[in-house]
Amino acid sequence: MSSALPWVIAHRGHSAAAAENSISALERAVAARADAVEADVRISYDGIAVVSHDAGLTRLAGDDAAVADLSAEELDARARRAGAEIPRLATLMRAARGRIPLMLDVKARDPIVLTHIVSAANKADFPASAIILGLRDAALVRPCRTQLPDAGILALHGESAPLLSFRNAGVTLVRLWEAQADPATVSGLRSQGCTLWVTTGGPDTGREVGDATSESLANLIAAGIDGVLVNDPDLGRHVVDHHP
């Protein structure tokens, strides 16, 4: 991929074609020539980093149990019974190793989560240089740089984690929601030296998070963004590669 082209980041893998955050979704993302796969990281009851967007199993498995209250083995078993998947992070890393970087949406704000991510990376022999850590609290920036110094850091800022706190910590890779990514905002942040990734869909777009259209992607590229998180990386790859 040319460095001039925006990255296509497969949101929860190729979640438009396979179960979200599954190994199959990762495989489909690789086949679509995505530049990275986004995956959500939580910690199971037995202290294992697992890949799950939600804090509970209601949406995926019709089960009211919490991810943090079940072992990694039980989480995967319950998800599979419902046709879903909650793999261990180490398993996802083994599938991705040498093939595609991983952008990890770190759901927890406790620094202990980093220890579990390091453990998973060590088990999978997955290089930290192929990891981008999406953080929701700027207080995690320093421990991230200590424990995973070669990993990238993405600011997943919000009301409880202001962008300024990440910028003060030296983070330059910033996530915006699509509705926030107007040309003026993009230009202003780019002028500050920021690299901007945009999660498509979501608030104020009328689309589900990660859903995009050819037109919405073309508008984001024209605004000057550096990466798009999309459920359909085939679409993302096509629009990026063919944008004038």
Side-chain angles (χ1 to χ4, degrees):
M1 156 181 148
S2 166
S3 60
L5 294 178
W7 272 36
V8 176
I9 304 102
H11 182 244
R12 307 178 201 172
H14 197 322
S15 53
E20 67 178 57
N21 283 319
S22 66
I23 303 302
S24 294
L26 182 141
E27 295 291 346
R28 294 291 293 265
V30 171
R33 297 186 299 114
D35 297 298
V37 164
E38 184 262 358
D40 304 288
V41 178
R42 295 186 182 275
I43 306 303
S44 66
Y45 180 76
D46 49 347
I48 294 173
V50 297
V51 186
S52 174
H53 176 272
D54 297 357
L57 303 185
T58 302
R59 181 174 61 88
L60 283 186
D63 188 321
D64 61 2
V67 170
D69 291 339
L70 297 174
S71 69
E73 183 176 353
E74 181 64 18
L75 284 167
D76 192 40
R78 293 195 189 193
R80 285 183 182 279
R81 285 197 293 269
E85 191 173 334
I86 300 181
R88 289 168 168 80
L89 177 59
T91 301
L92 193 77
M93 285 177 159
R94 289 189 190 99
R97 185 178 60 210
R99 304 170 71 200
I100 194 165
L102 293 177
M103 186 243 126
L104 305 180
D105 184 338
V106 182
K107 296 299 187 182
R109 296 181 178 223
D110 188 328
I112 192 65
V113 69
L114 302 176
T115 301
H116 298 302
I117 291 173
V118 170
S119 175
N122 288 340
K123 288 178 182 176
D125 194 25
F126 193 83
S129 58
I131 298 172
I132 301 99
L133 295 162
L135 303 182
R136 297 173 178 277
D137 190 336
L140 288 179
V141 172
R142 181 175 293 180
C144 277
R145 288 177 173 153
T146 299
Q147 296 192 50
L148 288 159
D150 295 328
I153 295 176
L154 171 68
L156 297 176
H157 62 99
E159 289 184 7
S160 62
L163 176 56
L164 183 60
S165 64
F166 286 98
R167 296 290 291 117
N168 288 340
V171 176
T172 58
L173 179 57
V174 175
R175 192 283 301 273
L176 296 175
W177 288 100
E178 181 179 331
Q180 298 172 323
D182 59 89
T185 298
V186 171
S187 176
L189 288 170
R190 289 291 299 272
S191 71
Q192 297 176 32
C194 292
T195 299
L196 302 177
W197 285 5
V198 172
T199 299
T200 59
D204 300 319
T205 65
R207 285 177 265 114
E208 294 294 321
V209 174
D211 282 350
T213 65
S214 295
E215 181 180 7
S216 67
L217 290 170
N219 288 339
L220 288 170
I221 295 169
I225 55 85
D226 302 287
V228 287
L229 281 82
V230 290
N231 295 334
D232 185 349
D234 280 308
L235 174 64
R237 180 84 278 147
H238 176 79
V239 174
V240 166
D241 288 350
H242 292 86
H243 189 77

